[in-house]
Amino acid sequence: MAEQAQATAETGPRPIVPFLKLGAEPHLVGTKCSCGAVFLDTKRIACSKCGSTGPFETVRLSTRGKVYVFSVVHQSFPGIKTPYITAIVDLPEGVSVRTNLVDLDPLAVEKDPKQLFDMPVEMTTQVVAKDRQGNDVVAFAFRPIKH
Amino acid sequence: MRNVYVLGTGMIKFGRYPEKTVPELGAEAALIALKDAGITIKDVEMFASGNLYQSNAMVGQRILQQIGQTGIPVINVANACATGSTAFREAYLSVASGMYDIAMAVGVEQMGKAGLLGGGGGGSDPAYSPEGKLGSGLMPAVFGQAGIEHMRKYGTRMEHFAKISVKSHKHATRNPFSQYQNEVSLEDVMNARMVAYPNTLYMCCPTGDGAAAAILVSEDKLKKFAAGRKRPKIAASVLTSDPWTERDLTLPDVSTLTRRAAKQAYEKAGIGPEDIALTELHDCFATAELVHYENLYLCKEGEAAKFIDEGGGVHPDLGGKCPVNVSGGLLSKGHPLGATGVANICEVVWHLTQDERAKARQVPNAKAGLAHVIGLGSACTIHILTV
């Protein structure tokens, strides 16, 4: 949360996690080890795949990926609208991300789960909350790519 | 390492005990186990106490403050859902190493009606909580996805998960220690309220309270106290954590560490899955049980659905084979986190020793049994017991 604390000196929307970068072209960043492992972290102490202490490379992640698996959440915390689709999306850089899937009917997906496997999706962003300082908090989500 | 035996076991019925404290629940189970072993707390040389929700509150010592402050070493163990089984393993190691001859393990938890577990993170400002905004870390969804992964790979259908719930509920009707003892039909399970697809309400284990205990002894003490009674040997005690795998940091991989533990356990015990008369495995959700059929090598890779369709996992009395969770499993028996790992070892012990407490559901000719637990995060324990 250190990055968020620093960011509060500025004005404007805040990313919900440090590895989401906002701006004209919102995108995710990862930290890549020379062994090939990519982590959804903005910094690493060491690589949990090979044990290397670096140096690590910061990589800009693709905004497009494919759905690996999902679930439809019907019961959640207060304030979270249900049902919604939670999914694991594989990105081409070799890292997976947990995300909401939007622009799909959750109940239709339950009737035909196969339609989601390997579905091409793209990242979008949305304001999901206001923090204690009154700033918009922005989360990413993925949605089907419209042809 | 020396041979270690389970001399006594104790368990209270899982349920809800709002009028009691955690140490009281643990003390009740401990006293039953001591009596079953034919010893007193004065004979116990080491105590491993498993509890998760009060893991900073010296539960083990507070149990001894209820039943006997003998000044012995106490370890308080927390390891997610594998808390109780890890405590059992600490007791096992203390005797196997030769350090002590008699050790006690207690697993205890009081969850009340705690609802959805998991889904933490975000720091002090809830606006930054990722739950529901960046997908879900809630347990029903995490394990729902583990089931969907099996659907994706092998074409498994929701009915297969539902059949597991039907089976476990039926098993529980013969277990007086089970939190729920009601039968459900396939239609009941399929049409129940959806919690996180494909897990409906009856495919999710309940929360609750409970305690279980075991007394572990060396061969010398077995001869002294067992007095001819049959007592099982701990043929394998294995603990693994999650190795790096492709998606583990995003979608917890409950399979790889279970497979590693299973291979080690079978090798250590010198037997194979075909020799296991009964398995108590970690069915926190019906989807979890299905993937663990393969992870524990009870069936071949990709054949868990076929295994279910052919009566796999069902008690032989009910026409099945390779019985799994004859106690009712976490789905029916309940899942008071810290108690679970010791309780499923109790169940295996009772079948191996023809104990009265499992009489109504006795698995015939039980010479070896396996108890498996996963604590998400992750920790996996497997114990194989033999007579």
Side-chain angles (χ1 to χ4, degrees):
Chain A
M1 295 304 108
E3 291 196 8
Q4 285 159 12
Q6 287 163 13
T8 53
E10 304 160 14
T11 55
R14 303 279 183 269
I16 190 166
V17 284
F19 62 86
L20 168 62
K21 300 299 173 189
L22 302 179
E25 292 178 3
H27 62 278
L28 305 180
V29 294
T31 300
K32 186 173 185 178
C33 176
S34 56
C35 78
V38 180
F39 300 91
L40 287 176
D41 290 319
T42 48
K43 56 190 176 195
R44 290 291 298 187
I45 293 167
C47 172
S48 67
K49 182 181 183 187
C50 76
S52 163
T53 53
F56 299 108
E57 182 191 349
T58 298
V59 288
R60 181 181 175 131
L61 300 175
S62 172
T63 54
R64 293 189 166 196
K66 284 182 177 177
V67 176
Y68 180 60
V69 293
F70 71 95
S71 177
V72 181
V73 179
H74 288 252
Q75 194 176 340
S76 186
F77 290 177
I80 303 295
K81 195 178 164 220
T82 58
Y84 72 90
I85 305 171
T86 178
I88 305 298
V89 169
D90 291 344
L91 300 181
E93 290 78 16
V95 66
S96 304
V97 59
R98 195 177 84 194
T99 181
N100 286 17
L101 278 190
V102 297
D103 294 353
L104 283 162
D105 175 1
L107 299 180
V109 161
E110 286 183 1
K111 290 195 179 76
D112 181 18
K114 284 195 208 77
Q115 64 176 294
L116 275 196
F117 300 146
D118 292 323
M119 177 183 275
V121 288
E122 63 184 1
M123 199 185 94
T124 176
T125 56
Q126 53 192 0
V127 174
V128 290
K130 270 200 191 300
D131 71 12
R132 289 199 179 119
Q133 284 74 42
N135 301 302
D136 285 342
V137 176
V138 178
F140 61 86
F142 280 75
R143 65 185 177 202
I145 296 173
K146 291 193 178 76
H147 294 286
Chain B
M1 297 288 253
R2 302 189 295 174
N3 285 340
V4 182
Y5 300 83
V6 181
L7 181 66
T9 50
M11 179 181 169
I12 61 168
K13 179 185 185 294
F14 285 179
R16 300 195 203 277
Y17 300 97
E19 74 287 4
K20 292 181 181 174
T21 67
V22 165
E24 283 169 353
L25 296 171
E28 283 183 33
L31 287 177
I32 298 166
L34 289 166
K35 190 178 177 193
D36 185 45
I39 64 172
T40 74
I41 191 65
K42 289 175 186 166
D43 297 306
V44 175
E45 298 167 347
M46 177 271 178
F47 172 27
S49 172
N51 172 269
L52 196 58
Y53 282 7
Q54 294 187 15
S55 58
N56 61 350
M58 305 299 264
V59 167
Q61 284 83 347
R62 286 159 65 209
I63 289 172
L64 292 186
Q65 287 160 15
Q66 300 277 334
I67 65 172
Q69 292 175 260
T70 54
I72 57 171
V74 174
I75 308 176
N76 290 289
V77 176
N79 217 7
C81 299
T83 290
S85 52
T86 304
F88 181 90
R89 187 166 186 272
E90 287 302 308
Y92 162 80
L93 290 172
S94 77
V95 177
S97 67
M99 182 74 87
Y100 304 105
D101 287 322
I102 302 181
M104 179 167 77
V106 174
V108 57
E109 203 72 56
Q110 189 169 44
M111 303 169 77
K113 290 194 170 183
L116 298 164
L117 307 185
S124 59
D125 188 339
Y128 291 94
S129 163
E131 183 55 39
K133 302 169 194 150
L134 298 180
S136 183
L138 295 173
M139 292 300 106
V142 168
F143 282 94
Q145 290 171 112
I148 299 233
E149 187 176 33
H150 205 273
M151 286 180 163
R152 176 191 167 108
K153 284 181 177 169
Y154 303 115
T156 311
R157 297 192 316 274
M158 186 175 160
E159 287 83 348
H160 292 116
F161 304 116
K163 280 181 180 177
I164 288 172
S165 174
V166 173
K167 178 266 300 181
S168 291
H169 280 82
K170 194 165 181 66
H171 284 172
T173 61
R174 301 194 294 182
N175 183 3
F177 292 87
S178 184
Q179 183 169 354
Y180 293 100
Q181 297 170 33
N182 58 304
E183 265 191 73
V184 292
S185 69
L186 189 61
E187 293 69 34
D188 291 336
V189 178
M190 293 288 287
N191 297 329
R193 177 164 62 80
M194 187 64 76
V195 178
Y197 181 81
N199 285 315
T200 66
L201 185 66
Y202 295 129
M203 295 190 227
C204 303
C205 70
T207 55
D209 313 335
I215 308 296
L216 293 77
V217 297
S218 62
E219 194 146 353
D220 285 352
K221 296 297 179 185
L222 178 79
K223 282 176 185 153
K224 181 175 176 188
F225 290 108
R229 295 175 300 170
K230 195 194 308 184
R231 288 294 180 257
K233 184 173 96 171
I234 300 165
S237 173
V238 174
L239 171 63
T240 57
S241 65
D242 50 331
W244 192 93
T245 58
E246 198 182 356
R247 298 183 187 84
D248 181 50
L249 296 176
T250 307
L251 174 64
D253 171 6
V254 297
S255 293
T256 307
L257 81 166
T258 295
R259 288 173 187 220
R260 285 188 171 194
K263 278 181 184 160
Q264 289 177 39
Y266 290 129
E267 189 181 329
K268 183 87 173 48
I271 60 176
E274 65 283 359
D275 302 310
I276 300 292
L278 76 154
T279 298
E280 289 287 305
L281 65 73
H282 201 74
D283 61 324
C284 46
F285 297 90
T287 46
E289 176 158 334
L290 186 139
V291 301
H292 291 319
Y293 291 156
E294 292 172 21
N295 293 336
L296 297 174
Y297 303 99
L298 303 180
C299 69
K300 287 183 187 154
E301 177 74 28
E303 294 190 358
K306 181 170 169 252
F307 177 78
I308 293 163
D309 288 338
E310 293 173 354
V314 177
H315 197 293
D317 287 358
L318 305 169
K321 61 177 185 183
C322 193
V324 174
N325 294 336
V326 293
S327 65
L330 279 53
L331 288 181
S332 283
K333 185 176 67 180
H335 183 24
L337 309 181
T340 290
V342 183
N344 71 4
I345 290 170
C346 288
E347 181 72 15
V348 169
V349 168
W350 295 347
H351 288 270
L352 298 183
T353 58
Q354 287 82 46
D355 194 291
E356 279 291 313
R357 289 170 283 188
K359 193 176 180 183
R361 59 189 185 283
Q362 174 72 48
V363 171
N365 305 316
K367 305 288 185 204
L370 184 151
H372 158 260
V373 183
I374 282 268
L376 206 71
S378 292
C380 175
T381 61
I382 293 184
H383 287 91
I384 293 178
L385 292 95
T386 57
V387 288

